Amino acid sequence: MTEQERAPAGVDPTVPSVARMYDYYLGGKDNFAADRAAAAQIIKISPNAKEIARDNRAFLGRAVRAVAELGIRQFLDIGTGLPTQENVHQVAQRASPSSRVVYVDNDPIVLTHARALLAHTPDTIVVNGDMRDPKAILGHPEITRHLDLRSPLAVLLVSVLHFFPDDDEAFGIARDIRQALPSGSHLILSHVTAGELNGEDVGKGRAIYRGTTSGGLAPRSREQIAAFFEDLELLEPGLVPPTAWRADGPGQLVISGPGGAGFLCGVGRVP
C-alpha cells in the first residue's frame, strides 16, 4: 500500500507535518517519507533535535504529575500531537483516577490515532480544534461538557507556540487562554529557542518549517517566552531547560550541544 493510500482523507503525505516530524524525533513510526526527510534536514542543522524533543516530552510528564499532586484534576492539552508513551491522561490518571483530560488538535492523523487510543477511556476525549481560535476551543460544547472551566484546570501549550511566527498571534493565543483561566489553574508551556544556532542556521531551519503544515517556526528569546506567563506565578524552578525542570537527577542547565537549538519550559499558576 502506498503512502497516499494509507493517508487519511484530506492528508497529503508529501507535505511534512510538524506533528509527524515530532513523532519521528521521538522514535515513533506514524510518519511519512516527507516527514522523515524534513526532520533529517533539521537534524543536520541541529544535531540534538531528537534529544531535545525527548527532553521536552519528559518535561510534559513531570509537569502534569506536579500539578496533579497539587490537586488539579482537569487537563486541556492544546496541540497535543501524536500519541506516544506517558501521555497526559496516563500520567494524570495515575496520580488520580478521577482526572479528566481533553486533547485538542486539528491534524487528521493525530485525531485518528488519538480517538483509536481513547476509544475505551471515558474520562478522556479528543476534540478537533484550531488553536488559532482559543476562544472557540474554550467554548467548544464537547469541552465544556467534559470539563468544568469554572474550576481550576491545567492547560498545556507544550512545543506549539513556536509554530506561530507572528508574535501578535502567538502572544494573543496565550493571553486569551490566560485570561479565561480561573484562579488556581496552571499553564504548562515549552518553547524552542535558538540555543547555540547562528543566524544563518536559524534561517535554514525556519525555511524548512515554512514548507510544513505549520507554515513556519519562530525560536524566541527567554524574555519573549517569559512573557507568555505574564501575571502568572511561576512554579519552582522557574523558566528553565526541560532537563532542569524537577528532573529526578541533577539535570543539565544547558541541553543544546554545539550548534544545537534549545528549549525553555515552565509552569505558571493563576493567582
Side-chain angles (χ1 to χ4, degrees), residues 170-210:
F171 288 102
I173 290 168
R175 183 188 61 247
D176 286 348
I177 290 171
R178 286 197 314 270
Q179 292 178 348
L181 297 180
S183 177
S185 296
H186 290 75
L187 175 64
I188 300 172
L189 183 147
S190 67
H191 195 291
V192 75
T193 72
E196 301 295 325
L197 294 179
N198 59 39
E200 181 180 354
D201 283 338
V202 169
K204 290 178 181 177
R206 296 186 70 164
I208 293 167
Y209 275 101
R210 278 197 295 273

mmCIF file of all heavy atoms in Angstrom, residues 170-210:
data_model
loop_
_atom_site.group_PDB
_atom_site.id
_atom_site.type_symbol
_atom_site.label_atom_id
_atom_site.label_comp_id
_atom_site.label_asym_id
_atom_site.label_seq_id
_atom_site.Cartn_x
_atom_site.Cartn_y
_atom_site.Cartn_z
ATOM 1 N N ALA A 170 0.884 34.713 18.351
ATOM 2 C CA ALA A 170 1.320 33.803 19.413
ATOM 3 C C ALA A 170 0.984 34.356 20.792
ATOM 4 O O ALA A 170 0.442 33.637 21.654
ATOM 5 C CB ALA A 170 2.821 33.550 19.292
ATOM 6 N N PHE A 171 1.297 35.636 21.025
ATOM 7 C CA PHE A 171 1.026 36.222 22.339
ATOM 8 C C PHE A 171 -0.470 36.409 22.560
ATOM 9 O O PHE A 171 -0.943 36.332 23.696
ATOM 10 C CB PHE A 171 1.794 37.530 22.504
ATOM 11 C CG PHE A 171 3.274 37.319 22.684
ATOM 12 C CD1 PHE A 171 4.154 37.527 21.642
ATOM 13 C CD2 PHE A 171 3.776 36.868 23.893
ATOM 14 C CE1 PHE A 171 5.517 37.311 21.797
ATOM 15 C CE2 PHE A 171 5.137 36.641 24.066
ATOM 16 C CZ PHE A 171 6.014 36.864 23.016
ATOM 17 N N GLY A 172 -1.226 36.615 21.484
ATOM 18 C CA GLY A 172 -2.675 36.724 21.606
ATOM 19 C C GLY A 172 -3.306 35.408 22.030
ATOM 20 O O GLY A 172 -4.237 35.384 22.858
ATOM 21 N N ILE A 173 -2.804 34.299 21.483
ATOM 22 C CA ILE A 173 -3.303 32.977 21.871
ATOM 23 C C ILE A 173 -3.072 32.744 23.363
ATOM 24 O O ILE A 173 -3.988 32.353 24.106
ATOM 25 C CB ILE A 173 -2.608 31.876 21.040
ATOM 26 C CG1 ILE A 173 -3.079 31.933 19.584
ATOM 27 C CG2 ILE A 173 -2.884 30.496 21.629
ATOM 28 C CD1 ILE A 173 -2.247 31.079 18.636
ATOM 29 N N ALA A 174 -1.843 33.000 23.799
ATOM 30 C CA ALA A 174 -1.520 32.781 25.222
ATOM 31 C C ALA A 174 -2.335 33.704 26.118
ATOM 32 O O ALA A 174 -2.830 33.281 27.173
ATOM 33 C CB ALA A 174 -0.026 32.986 25.453
ATOM 34 N N ARG A 175 -2.510 34.952 25.699
ATOM 35 C CA ARG A 175 -3.265 35.917 26.504
ATOM 36 C C ARG A 175 -4.724 35.491 26.649
ATOM 37 O O ARG A 175 -5.291 35.524 27.757
ATOM 38 C CB ARG A 175 -3.188 37.300 25.866
ATOM 39 C CG ARG A 175 -3.902 38.382 26.680
ATOM 40 C CD ARG A 175 -3.963 39.681 25.912
ATOM 41 N NE ARG A 175 -4.710 39.545 24.664
ATOM 42 C CZ ARG A 175 -4.165 39.638 23.449
ATOM 43 N NH1 ARG A 175 -2.875 39.890 23.297
ATOM 44 N NH2 ARG A 175 -4.912 39.494 22.367
ATOM 45 N N ASP A 176 -5.350 35.085 25.541
ATOM 46 C CA ASP A 176 -6.756 34.681 25.592
ATOM 47 C C ASP A 176 -6.946 33.487 26.530
ATOM 48 O O ASP A 176 -7.954 33.409 27.254
ATOM 49 C CB ASP A 176 -7.259 34.332 24.193
ATOM 50 C CG ASP A 176 -7.469 35.566 23.328
ATOM 51 O OD1 ASP A 176 -7.456 36.694 23.862
ATOM 52 O OD2 ASP A 176 -7.637 35.399 22.096
ATOM 53 N N ILE A 177 -5.999 32.573 26.506
ATOM 54 C CA ILE A 177 -6.104 31.403 27.376
ATOM 55 C C ILE A 177 -5.901 31.800 28.832
ATOM 56 O O ILE A 177 -6.683 31.416 29.712
ATOM 57 C CB ILE A 177 -5.102 30.322 26.935
ATOM 58 C CG1 ILE A 177 -5.554 29.713 25.597
ATOM 59 C CG2 ILE A 177 -4.971 29.222 28.006
ATOM 60 C CD1 ILE A 177 -4.546 28.803 24.958
ATOM 61 N N ARG A 178 -4.862 32.593 29.105
ATOM 62 C CA ARG A 178 -4.601 33.017 30.486
ATOM 63 C C ARG A 178 -5.802 33.727 31.088
ATOM 64 O O ARG A 178 -6.201 33.483 32.224
ATOM 65 C CB ARG A 178 -3.393 33.966 30.544
ATOM 66 C CG ARG A 178 -2.050 33.342 30.356
ATOM 67 C CD ARG A 178 -0.942 34.287 30.834
ATOM 68 N NE ARG A 178 -1.097 35.653 30.368
ATOM 69 C CZ ARG A 178 -0.597 36.137 29.236
ATOM 70 N NH1 ARG A 178 0.090 35.341 28.435
ATOM 71 N NH2 ARG A 178 -0.770 37.405 28.895
ATOM 72 N N GLN A 179 -6.378 34.625 30.307
ATOM 73 C CA GLN A 179 -7.478 35.436 30.828
ATOM 74 C C GLN A 179 -8.735 34.622 31.109
ATOM 75 O O GLN A 179 -9.582 35.050 31.893
ATOM 76 C CB GLN A 179 -7.776 36.577 29.852
ATOM 77 C CG GLN A 179 -6.661 37.618 29.775
ATOM 78 C CD GLN A 179 -6.941 38.714 28.781
ATOM 79 O OE1 GLN A 179 -7.870 38.625 27.965
ATOM 80 N NE2 GLN A 179 -6.148 39.774 28.819
ATOM 81 N N ALA A 180 -8.846 33.457 30.478
ATOM 82 C CA ALA A 180 -10.034 32.620 30.670
ATOM 83 C C ALA A 180 -9.894 31.653 31.833
ATOM 84 O O ALA A 180 -10.880 31.034 32.241
ATOM 85 C CB ALA A 180 -10.323 31.840 29.389
ATOM 86 N N LEU A 181 -8.690 31.532 32.395
ATOM 87 C CA LEU A 181 -8.465 30.515 33.419
ATOM 88 C C LEU A 181 -8.853 31.022 34.805
ATOM 89 O O LEU A 181 -8.457 32.119 35.206
ATOM 90 C CB LEU A 181 -6.992 30.096 33.429
ATOM 91 C CG LEU A 181 -6.462 29.435 32.156
ATOM 92 C CD1 LEU A 181 -4.990 29.079 32.319
ATOM 93 C CD2 LEU A 181 -7.283 28.193 31.825
ATOM 94 N N PRO A 182 -9.597 30.215 35.565
ATOM 95 C CA PRO A 182 -9.945 30.619 36.936
ATOM 96 C C PRO A 182 -8.749 30.510 37.864
ATOM 97 O O PRO A 182 -7.753 29.835 37.567
ATOM 98 C CB PRO A 182 -11.042 29.621 37.324
ATOM 99 C CG PRO A 182 -10.779 28.421 36.487
ATOM 100 C CD PRO A 182 -10.220 28.932 35.193
ATOM 101 N N SER A 183 -8.819 31.180 38.983
ATOM 102 C CA SER A 183 -7.763 31.149 39.989
ATOM 103 C C SER A 183 -7.436 29.712 40.384
ATOM 104 O O SER A 183 -8.329 28.873 40.530
ATOM 105 C CB SER A 183 -8.200 31.934 41.231
ATOM 106 O OG SER A 183 -7.223 31.865 42.242
ATOM 107 N N GLY A 184 -6.143 29.444 40.537
ATOM 108 C CA GLY A 184 -5.698 28.103 40.902
ATOM 109 C C GLY A 184 -5.380 27.227 39.714
ATOM 110 O O GLY A 184 -4.859 26.112 39.877
ATOM 111 N N SER A 185 -5.663 27.716 38.506
ATOM 112 C CA SER A 185 -5.328 26.968 37.296
ATOM 113 C C SER A 185 -3.837 27.085 37.004
ATOM 114 O O SER A 185 -3.128 27.932 37.556
ATOM 115 C CB SER A 185 -6.133 27.494 36.104
ATOM 116 O OG SER A 185 -7.517 27.288 36.292
ATOM 117 N N HIS A 186 -3.360 26.225 36.088
ATOM 118 C CA HIS A 186 -1.950 26.225 35.734
ATOM 119 C C HIS A 186 -1.783 26.203 34.213
ATOM 120 O O HIS A 186 -2.577 25.577 33.508
ATOM 121 C CB HIS A 186 -1.238 25.004 36.324
ATOM 122 C CG HIS A 186 -1.107 25.054 37.814
ATOM 123 N ND1 HIS A 186 -2.184 24.819 38.653
ATOM 124 C CD2 HIS A 186 -0.049 25.330 38.617
ATOM 125 C CE1 HIS A 186 -1.784 24.929 39.912
ATOM 126 N NE2 HIS A 186 -0.491 25.240 39.912
ATOM 127 N N LEU A 187 -0.752 26.890 33.745
ATOM 128 C CA LEU A 187 -0.361 26.868 32.338
ATOM 129 C C LEU A 187 0.976 26.146 32.234
ATOM 130 O O LEU A 187 1.969 26.570 32.836
ATOM 131 C CB LEU A 187 -0.235 28.289 31.782
ATOM 132 C CG LEU A 187 0.278 28.410 30.338
ATOM 133 C CD1 LEU A 187 -0.692 27.770 29.351
ATOM 134 C CD2 LEU A 187 0.530 29.870 29.976
ATOM 135 N N ILE A 188 0.995 25.034 31.495
ATOM 136 C CA ILE A 188 2.212 24.247 31.257
ATOM 137 C C ILE A 188 2.673 24.549 29.839
ATOM 138 O O ILE A 188 1.937 24.307 28.879
ATOM 139 C CB ILE A 188 1.937 22.741 31.434
ATOM 140 C CG1 ILE A 188 1.456 22.443 32.853
ATOM 141 C CG2 ILE A 188 3.166 21.917 31.083
ATOM 142 C CD1 ILE A 188 0.988 21.009 33.060
ATOM 143 N N LEU A 189 3.885 25.085 29.695
ATOM 144 C CA LEU A 189 4.301 25.610 28.391
ATOM 145 C C LEU A 189 5.779 25.325 28.148
ATOM 146 O O LEU A 189 6.597 25.412 29.064
ATOM 147 C CB LEU A 189 4.043 27.120 28.357
ATOM 148 C CG LEU A 189 4.320 27.894 27.073
ATOM 149 C CD1 LEU A 189 3.326 29.058 26.932
ATOM 150 C CD2 LEU A 189 5.752 28.444 27.039
ATOM 151 N N SER A 190 6.100 24.988 26.892
ATOM 152 C CA SER A 190 7.501 24.911 26.476
ATOM 153 C C SER A 190 7.618 25.519 25.086
ATOM 154 O O SER A 190 6.641 25.562 24.324
ATOM 155 C CB SER A 190 8.012 23.469 26.480
ATOM 156 O OG SER A 190 7.378 22.695 25.483
ATOM 157 N N HIS A 191 8.836 25.991 24.768
ATOM 158 C CA HIS A 191 9.029 26.745 23.526
ATOM 159 C C HIS A 191 10.482 26.619 23.094
ATOM 160 O O HIS A 191 11.399 26.626 23.918
ATOM 161 C CB HIS A 191 8.682 28.216 23.790
ATOM 162 C CG HIS A 191 8.493 29.051 22.568
ATOM 163 N ND1 HIS A 191 9.532 29.383 21.714
ATOM 164 C CD2 HIS A 191 7.387 29.641 22.046
ATOM 165 C CE1 HIS A 191 9.072 30.146 20.735
ATOM 166 N NE2 HIS A 191 7.767 30.311 20.920
ATOM 167 N N VAL A 192 10.685 26.533 21.798
ATOM 168 C CA VAL A 192 12.035 26.403 21.260
ATOM 169 C C VAL A 192 12.767 27.737 21.288
ATOM 170 O O VAL A 192 12.158 28.802 21.174
ATOM 171 C CB VAL A 192 12.000 25.832 19.823
ATOM 172 C CG1 VAL A 192 11.545 26.863 18.800
ATOM 173 C CG2 VAL A 192 13.361 25.270 19.426
ATOM 174 N N THR A 193 14.093 27.670 21.500
ATOM 175 C CA THR A 193 14.966 28.835 21.424
ATOM 176 C C THR A 193 16.039 28.564 20.376
ATOM 177 O O THR A 193 16.255 27.414 19.969
ATOM 178 C CB THR A 193 15.653 29.127 22.766
ATOM 179 O OG1 THR A 193 16.666 28.128 23.008
ATOM 180 C CG2 THR A 193 14.657 29.136 23.910
ATOM 181 N N ALA A 194 16.745 29.598 19.980
ATOM 182 C CA ALA A 194 17.834 29.410 19.014
ATOM 183 C C ALA A 194 18.979 28.628 19.633
ATOM 184 O O ALA A 194 19.741 27.966 18.905
ATOM 185 C CB ALA A 194 18.326 30.766 18.514
ATOM 186 N N GLY A 195 19.116 28.654 20.959
ATOM 187 C CA GLY A 195 20.197 27.922 21.606
ATOM 188 C C GLY A 195 21.556 28.365 21.087
ATOM 189 O O GLY A 195 21.896 29.545 21.113
ATOM 190 N N GLU A 196 22.328 27.412 20.565
ATOM 191 C CA GLU A 196 23.657 27.700 20.039
ATOM 192 C C GLU A 196 23.658 27.937 18.530
ATOM 193 O O GLU A 196 24.723 28.101 17.930
ATOM 194 C CB GLU A 196 24.609 26.542 20.367
ATOM 195 C CG GLU A 196 24.757 26.255 21.842
ATOM 196 C CD GLU A 196 25.419 27.406 22.584
ATOM 197 O OE1 GLU A 196 26.301 28.052 21.997
ATOM 198 O OE2 GLU A 196 25.043 27.648 23.747
ATOM 199 N N LEU A 197 22.493 27.951 17.917
ATOM 200 C CA LEU A 197 22.424 28.140 16.466
ATOM 201 C C LEU A 197 22.776 29.577 16.100
ATOM 202 O O LEU A 197 22.355 30.522 16.766
ATOM 203 C CB LEU A 197 21.022 27.820 15.943
ATOM 204 C CG LEU A 197 20.546 26.364 16.047
ATOM 205 C CD1 LEU A 197 19.130 26.249 15.505
ATOM 206 C CD2 LEU A 197 21.475 25.421 15.297
ATOM 207 N N ASN A 198 23.494 29.732 14.992
ATOM 208 C CA ASN A 198 23.763 31.078 14.487
ATOM 209 C C ASN A 198 22.604 31.536 13.617
ATOM 210 O O ASN A 198 21.682 30.761 13.304
ATOM 211 C CB ASN A 198 25.094 31.130 13.732
ATOM 212 C CG ASN A 198 25.128 30.169 12.533
ATOM 213 O OD1 ASN A 198 24.130 30.012 11.833
ATOM 214 N ND2 ASN A 198 26.279 29.550 12.297
ATOM 215 N N GLY A 199 22.632 32.784 13.211
ATOM 216 C CA GLY A 199 21.526 33.348 12.448
ATOM 217 C C GLY A 199 21.277 32.638 11.142
ATOM 218 O O GLY A 199 20.122 32.449 10.719
ATOM 219 N N GLU A 200 22.339 32.216 10.474
ATOM 220 C CA GLU A 200 22.176 31.520 9.194
ATOM 221 C C GLU A 200 21.452 30.200 9.372
ATOM 222 O O GLU A 200 20.537 29.860 8.605
ATOM 223 C CB GLU A 200 23.547 31.282 8.559
ATOM 224 C CG GLU A 200 23.475 30.577 7.205
ATOM 225 C CD GLU A 200 24.850 30.340 6.593
ATOM 226 O OE1 GLU A 200 25.849 30.817 7.173
ATOM 227 O OE2 GLU A 200 24.914 29.677 5.540
ATOM 228 N N ASP A 201 21.834 29.436 10.403
ATOM 229 C CA ASP A 201 21.190 28.146 10.622
ATOM 230 C C ASP A 201 19.749 28.305 11.092
ATOM 231 O O ASP A 201 18.882 27.497 10.745
ATOM 232 C CB ASP A 201 21.990 27.330 11.635
ATOM 233 C CG ASP A 201 23.244 26.724 11.006
ATOM 234 O OD1 ASP A 201 23.272 26.573 9.775
ATOM 235 O OD2 ASP A 201 24.194 26.413 11.759
ATOM 236 N N VAL A 202 19.494 29.339 11.904
ATOM 237 C CA VAL A 202 18.101 29.615 12.283
ATOM 238 C C VAL A 202 17.271 29.874 11.028
ATOM 239 O O VAL A 202 16.155 29.370 10.890
ATOM 240 C CB VAL A 202 18.021 30.812 13.247
ATOM 241 C CG1 VAL A 202 16.566 31.267 13.409
ATOM 242 C CG2 VAL A 202 18.603 30.446 14.611
ATOM 243 N N GLY A 203 17.816 30.643 10.105
ATOM 244 C CA GLY A 203 17.105 30.923 8.858
ATOM 245 C C GLY A 203 16.837 29.664 8.052
ATOM 246 O O GLY A 203 15.753 29.499 7.474
ATOM 247 N N LYS A 204 17.810 28.757 8.007
ATOM 248 C CA LYS A 204 17.615 27.497 7.279
ATOM 249 C C LYS A 204 16.505 26.665 7.929
ATOM 250 O O LYS A 204 15.662 26.084 7.240
ATOM 251 C CB LYS A 204 18.918 26.699 7.271
ATOM 252 C CG LYS A 204 20.025 27.291 6.411
ATOM 253 C CD LYS A 204 21.289 26.442 6.516
ATOM 254 C CE LYS A 204 22.424 27.014 5.686
ATOM 255 N NZ LYS A 204 23.675 26.218 5.844
ATOM 256 N N GLY A 205 16.536 26.609 9.248
ATOM 257 C CA GLY A 205 15.503 25.850 9.939
ATOM 258 C C GLY A 205 14.118 26.428 9.724
ATOM 259 O O GLY A 205 13.145 25.698 9.497
ATOM 260 N N ARG A 206 14.022 27.749 9.770
ATOM 261 C CA ARG A 206 12.726 28.390 9.548
ATOM 262 C C ARG A 206 12.227 28.121 8.131
ATOM 263 O O ARG A 206 11.019 27.926 7.916
ATOM 264 C CB ARG A 206 12.823 29.886 9.821
ATOM 265 C CG ARG A 206 13.142 30.217 11.271
ATOM 266 C CD ARG A 206 13.098 31.699 11.563
ATOM 267 N NE ARG A 206 11.730 32.201 11.518
ATOM 268 C CZ ARG A 206 11.349 33.366 12.018
ATOM 269 N NH1 ARG A 206 12.237 34.156 12.616
ATOM 270 N NH2 ARG A 206 10.106 33.753 11.949
ATOM 271 N N ALA A 207 13.138 28.089 7.165
ATOM 272 C CA ALA A 207 12.743 27.824 5.773
ATOM 273 C C ALA A 207 12.180 26.411 5.644
ATOM 274 O O ALA A 207 11.194 26.183 4.918
ATOM 275 C CB ALA A 207 13.937 28.010 4.845
ATOM 276 N N ILE A 208 12.786 25.450 6.330
ATOM 277 C CA ILE A 208 12.278 24.076 6.283
ATOM 278 C C ILE A 208 10.871 24.015 6.859
ATOM 279 O O ILE A 208 9.970 23.395 6.277
ATOM 280 C CB ILE A 208 13.228 23.130 7.044
ATOM 281 C CG1 ILE A 208 14.564 23.021 6.310
ATOM 282 C CG2 ILE A 208 12.596 21.740 7.202
ATOM 283 C CD1 ILE A 208 15.664 22.378 7.133
ATOM 284 N N TYR A 209 10.655 24.666 7.987
ATOM 285 C CA TYR A 209 9.336 24.613 8.617
ATOM 286 C C TYR A 209 8.284 25.409 7.845
ATOM 287 O O TYR A 209 7.089 25.130 7.967
ATOM 288 C CB TYR A 209 9.413 25.070 10.075
ATOM 289 C CG TYR A 209 9.799 23.938 11.002
ATOM 290 C CD1 TYR A 209 11.101 23.810 11.470
ATOM 291 C CD2 TYR A 209 8.870 22.977 11.385
ATOM 292 C CE1 TYR A 209 11.465 22.756 12.307
ATOM 293 C CE2 TYR A 209 9.217 21.927 12.219
ATOM 294 C CZ TYR A 209 10.515 21.820 12.673
ATOM 295 O OH TYR A 209 10.868 20.767 13.491
ATOM 296 N N ARG A 210 8.715 26.364 7.034
ATOM 297 C CA ARG A 210 7.726 27.057 6.186
ATOM 298 C C ARG A 210 7.115 26.110 5.163
ATOM 299 O O ARG A 210 6.012 26.356 4.667
ATOM 300 C CB ARG A 210 8.373 28.253 5.481
ATOM 301 C CG ARG A 210 8.467 29.501 6.347
ATOM 302 C CD ARG A 210 8.716 30.752 5.525
ATOM 303 N NE ARG A 210 10.016 30.738 4.864
ATOM 304 C CZ ARG A 210 11.148 31.166 5.419
ATOM 305 N NH1 ARG A 210 11.149 31.643 6.653
ATOM 306 N NH2 ARG A 210 12.280 31.118 4.742
#
